[in-house]
Amino acid sequence: MAAAEDSRPFAGLSDVSISEDIPVEGDISVPVGSSRRDDELSTLDEPVKETILRDLRAVGNKFVHVLYPKRSSALLRDWDLWGPLLLCVTLALLLQGGAADSDDQGGPQFAEVFVIIWFGSIIITLNSKLLGGTISFFQSLCVLGYCIMPLTVAMAVCRLVLLGGTGMVSFAVRLAVVTASFGWSTFASTAFLTDSQPPNRKALVVYPVFLFYFVIGWMVLTFSPSQ
């Protein structure tokens, strides 16, 4: 009889029941969000059309941030250089065909505009880093490049105004447009850059930015079409 009981050592476990009053700790969850994020980050299988549209939407969102500047890290976090390159090329093309070019008076050529914009942006970025700024090199280039947009729009408006003549009224309108665009570019760029600088050195960062956009604004204002 003892041998029979030893052969079934776990026979009594079938009668054991777990009380419902005993709390069960822990939970089981399926990481749906993480897989979704992985799908969003993976663009290897994404069609080229969707990639281009996604990049264009990102560039458009950054243009909106420049039009309505606020203390946000969105422009710094998702930086790119496509928008600055597009604005630089557009501005350089709009500055072509001036009277200074045709008379060989040292007017801004396409390459000169390109060098002034990118070299100036690099100098301002290095100045920001040397003053202890926490912004990265390419983030600064992104901000300075995107904030050229008001001056690029001003150049397009000035070309339209110059179609009606080059009198005092035309100059007054162009002066007002360029001044407003210069102020908007400076304000937008400083709104993104000043928070990354030490409090006692913000003026040393704003001053080169002021000169940078002033030079571009001066090129826009002094442009006159060739006869």
Side-chain angles (χ1 to χ4, degrees):
M1 220 174 145
E5 291 178 357
D6 292 338
S7 62
R8 300 176 59 194
F10 303 103
L13 294 179
S14 60
D15 299 331
V16 177
S17 62
I18 300 176
S19 175
E20 296 181 356
D21 297 334
I22 300 177
V24 180
E25 298 181 355
D27 56 353
I28 300 176
S29 60
V30 180
V32 179
S34 61
S35 62
R36 185 179 301 172
R37 286 192 296 269
D38 293 339
D39 295 338
E40 292 177 356
L41 294 176
S42 178
T43 58
L44 295 178
D45 299 331
E46 186 179 45
V48 177
K49 179 182 178 180
E50 293 184 8
T51 302
I52 295 175
L53 292 177
R54 176 169 51 81
D55 292 340
L56 290 177
R57 284 192 296 267
V59 171
N61 290 333
K62 293 181 178 64
F63 285 153
V64 173
H65 281 293
V66 175
L67 290 176
Y68 301 98
K70 57 183 179 179
R71 298 184 182 277
S72 172
S73 60
L75 189 61
L76 301 177
R77 183 178 62 250
D78 303 324
W79 63 268
D80 68 79
L81 298 180
W82 290 112
L85 179 62
L86 176 63
L87 291 172
C88 182
V89 172
T90 303
L91 182 60
L93 290 174
L94 290 173
L95 284 170
Q96 299 307 297
D101 297 335
S102 59
D103 296 340
D104 196 18
Q105 297 175 357
Q109 301 294 327
F110 184 90
E112 293 174 354
V113 176
F114 227 81
V115 170
I116 289 173
I117 293 176
W118 288 103
F119 185 74
S121 300
I122 292 173
I123 293 299
I124 294 174
T125 301
L126 292 177
N127 175 69
S128 173
K129 297 295 292 182
L130 292 175
L131 291 175
T134 58
I135 191 173
S136 71
F137 183 82
F138 290 105
Q139 285 176 334
S140 180
L141 289 180
C142 174
V143 170
L144 293 171
Y146 271 102
C147 290
I148 298 176
M149 185 183 66
L151 289 169
T152 305
V153 175
M155 184 66 231
V157 173
C158 289
R159 295 283 311 230
L160 294 176
V161 172
L162 287 171
L163 294 177
T166 57
M168 289 299 299
V169 176
S170 173
F171 178 78
V173 173
R174 289 186 288 124
L175 178 61
V177 171
V178 173
T179 302
S181 301
F182 161 72
W184 197 267
S185 294
T186 305
F187 171 74
S189 60
T190 53
F192 294 109
L193 295 177
T194 51
D195 286 342
S196 63
Q197 305 299 323
N200 58 340
R201 297 181 178 179
K202 290 185 178 181
L204 297 176
V205 176
V206 174
Y207 180 66
V209 174
F210 177 87
L211 291 179
F212 173 66
Y213 291 116
F214 178 81
V215 171
I216 299 176
W218 182 257
M219 289 191 300
V220 173
L221 181 62
T222 57
F223 174 84
S224 59
S226 58
Q227 301 299 327

